[in-house]
Amino acid sequence: MTGEKGNKLARVIPEESLNEKLASEPQLDKTSQNRIGDQLRAMYDELMQQPVPDRFKDLLEKLEKSSGEKAK
Amino acid sequence: MTPEPALREALLAAVPSLRAFAISLSGQVDRADDLVQDTLLRALSNLHRFERGTNLNAWLFTILRNLFHSEYRKRRREVEDPEGSYASRLKVQPEQGARLDFEDFRSALAKLPPDQREALLLVGAQGFSYEEAANICGCAVGTIKSRVNRARFRLASLLNVDDVDDLGPDSMTRAALQGTG
């Protein structure tokens, strides 16, 4: 328990965050930012619209049934 | 742990987002589906840890993201050059019947370091706030902002979206001059 806590504390400040200073980085202009954003969302929306594979419905139903039976 | 019907509906409703995130993050549909399945199982066995009234999606994304990274670290120990193999695997896509478009964009996305890719996906695609994304990734808000910024910049230059000209020949000449001088 205490060991786990110690680990978490040690990870609070990831090393790379020390090097990631926003100020020193180049910024994209708004137009390019928007174009990237539009393409990203279009790609993502297409993935979101894919039908949910049956395995997930089955999984949740099965879990519900089995825990319901156990409760009886 | 009995998932009450309302919760089961909520979990099922989260699946499309979780899949989109997992596919974009891992670049593989079948691996993404395994990730989503493991996420649901872990969520169900840890339901007592979920604080009612807080954002279920954010909680699920945190689980998925952590699973992805522990798997990624495991693979990294097993196989060198995970970045290179990620990019080449992506070319074998699409599969499983569903044709995946946006090939150029997806392969550019695959070239980003995983931490930048996930930050961009969480904020730019999934629509989490910088604060939510920082919580999900367990890092500072500034770190997320920086990663998103870098990811956009890198994508723009990979896709030739823009006038990233100040990174073009001029800066290369400058670098060369500095190198020889």
Side-chain angles (χ1 to χ4, degrees):
Chain A
M1 277 299 262
T2 47
E4 197 187 326
K5 212 176 204 174
N7 275 339
K8 270 182 194 157
L9 284 174
R11 270 187 270 122
V12 164
I13 303 170
E15 265 178 50
E16 66 259 32
S17 73
L18 300 173
N19 302 323
E20 290 178 348
K21 288 266 154 57
L22 197 57
S24 59
E25 288 171 14
Q27 293 275 351
L28 270 190
D29 59 280
K30 267 276 172 276
T31 319
S32 305
Q33 270 195 33
N34 290 342
R35 267 188 229 166
I36 293 285
D38 289 346
Q39 286 193 47
L40 177 65
R41 277 186 298 274
M43 177 214 73
Y44 204 77
D45 283 350
E46 193 200 46
L47 293 176
M48 297 261 298
Q49 276 157 23
Q50 285 187 13
V52 171
D54 289 339
R55 67 193 270 195
F56 298 119
K57 290 173 205 162
D58 296 346
L59 175 77
L60 289 171
E61 264 164 33
K62 218 178 284 169
L63 286 169
E64 191 164 34
K65 269 185 204 140
S66 69
S67 55
E69 275 161 24
K70 257 182 249 157
K72 274 175 199 168
Chain B
M1 186 54 61
T2 314
E4 45 199 272
L7 186 67
R8 188 170 60 101
E9 285 307 308
L11 288 173
L12 206 50
V15 169
S17 311
L18 291 170
R19 283 190 84 228
F21 180 58
I23 293 169
S24 323
L25 199 59
S26 72
Q28 288 171 287
V29 175
D30 47 359
R31 191 177 158 205
D33 280 340
D34 288 345
L35 268 174
V36 173
Q37 174 149 346
D38 290 347
T39 301
L40 293 175
L41 289 173
R42 187 161 292 196
L44 286 165
S45 60
N46 287 284
L47 269 186
H48 56 284
R49 291 201 196 164
F50 174 64
E51 295 167 42
R52 297 299 163 108
T54 61
N55 189 335
L56 179 68
N57 261 16
W59 186 62
L60 293 171
F61 270 73
T62 310
I63 297 174
L64 193 149
R65 184 256 171 207
N66 289 341
L67 285 171
F68 174 77
H69 280 277
S70 55
E71 198 186 302
Y72 181 85
R73 276 194 297 271
K74 218 183 290 163
R75 278 169 191 236
R76 182 164 220 162
R77 279 197 296 272
E78 286 162 8
V79 193
E80 282 306 308
D81 186 31
E83 292 300 318
S85 61
Y86 178 98
S88 61
R89 273 199 319 269
L90 204 81
K91 286 181 190 135
V92 191
Q93 296 275 326
E95 32 126 332
Q96 292 204 336
R99 181 172 148 54
L100 303 169
D101 288 326
F102 304 100
E103 257 171 64
D104 288 350
F105 191 86
R106 291 165 59 84
S107 67
L109 193 64
K111 290 187 183 122
L112 299 180
D115 57 348
Q116 290 179 25
R117 188 161 61 233
E118 82 180 354
L120 183 71
L121 288 166
L122 290 170
V123 174
Q126 186 60 38
F128 283 117
S129 67
Y130 285 117
E131 288 75 15
E132 286 169 329
N135 279 332
I136 288 168
C137 299
C139 64
V141 174
T143 306
I144 291 293
K145 285 185 181 167
S146 168
R147 287 176 185 171
V148 170
N149 185 52
R150 286 179 181 199
R152 280 190 186 130
F153 199 83
R154 183 83 196 280
L155 278 181
S157 61
L158 285 168
L159 294 165
N160 290 321
V161 160
D162 59 65
D163 340 305
V164 195
D165 278 339
D166 34 11
L167 281 190
D170 274 356
S171 68
M172 280 169 71
T173 312
R174 239 178 285 137
L177 287 173
Q178 274 167 6
T180 52

